Amino acid sequence: MQRASRLKRELSLLTTEPPPGITCWQEESQLDELRAQILGAADTPYEKGIFDLEIVVPERYPFEPPKIRFLTPIYHPNIDSAGRICLDVLKLPPKGAWRPSLNISTLLTSIQLLLAEPNPDDPLMADISSEYKYNKQLFLQNAREWTEKHASQQRR
């Protein structure tokens, strides 16, 4: 019950006061399956890209973090080809930094920040990470091309 009322409150806030560049909605009548879109920030290789994400809210939420993954392919050192995201707030301690005081809005904002500032020292994609570190121009070019190819669809 706590989960359902908290999710309703969070979704209502995400609808009325969404963080800039982020939209989130319920998938049909499934309360535990959400969809989100993140706009690529200006001055990043993801600029003008619209990235779709899937959010699965576990039974134990908020004591366990939601599972979030990219549905839109993205060229990024911290996001793998299956859309999984390497970000500490998406994992439980001791390895992660998830706390029940965090919410879906905070997570989506953190993911948006990760797009703007990749963490090449904690990569999921080692090859993209070393490209980011040692050949930034090539990384930026590849990331822009992927964004144009995969993330330039219509906004919800």
Side-chain angles (χ1 to χ4, degrees):
M1 192 65 221
Q2 179 184 11
R3 174 182 152 212
S5 61
R6 174 158 166 174
L7 274 172
K8 280 196 177 91
R9 200 169 56 245
E10 282 190 39
L11 274 171
S12 157
L13 256 174
L14 276 162
T15 307
T16 56
E17 299 171 36
I22 293 173
T23 47
C24 185
W25 64 95
Q26 217 172 317
E27 195 65 356
E28 285 135 35
S29 61
Q30 302 283 324
L31 190 59
D32 56 357
E33 279 197 29
L34 309 174
R35 289 283 183 269
Q37 281 186 334
I38 294 180
L39 290 182
D43 304 321
T44 72
Y46 310 106
E47 186 171 7
K48 294 191 175 91
I50 299 167
F51 298 91
D52 291 311
L53 293 93
E54 170 189 73
I55 304 167
V56 178
V57 183
E59 215 39 67
R60 294 194 57 239
Y61 182 80
F63 303 104
E64 210 175 280
K67 306 261 180 282
I68 303 180
R69 72 183 186 95
F70 275 78
L71 297 173
T72 306
I74 182 168
Y75 194 83
H76 193 284
N78 308 107
I79 301 161
D80 72 10
S81 53
R84 291 179 303 228
I85 306 161
C86 183
L87 186 62
D88 60 353
V89 291
L90 293 175
K91 294 188 233 81
L92 284 167
K95 286 197 160 107
W98 171 257
R99 296 182 315 282
S101 58
L102 296 173
N103 60 33
I104 292 168
S105 178
T106 333
L107 292 178
L108 291 171
T109 305
S110 299
I111 292 168
Q112 189 181 41
L113 279 170
L114 183 69
L115 289 187
E117 296 179 28
N119 178 0
D121 299 323
D122 188 17
L124 269 180
M125 303 297 281
D127 49 341
I128 297 176
S129 175
S130 63
E131 187 178 284
Y132 180 85
K133 279 179 166 173
Y134 306 113
N135 192 347
K136 192 103 174 236
Q137 283 313 109
L138 182 61
F139 164 79
L140 292 170
Q141 180 188 335
N142 285 331
R144 268 194 287 279
E145 284 172 9
W146 275 56
T147 300
E148 281 170 32
K149 183 176 175 187
H150 301 289
S152 50
Q153 82 272 37
Q154 300 307 303
R155 221 184 146 170
R156 181 180 160 86

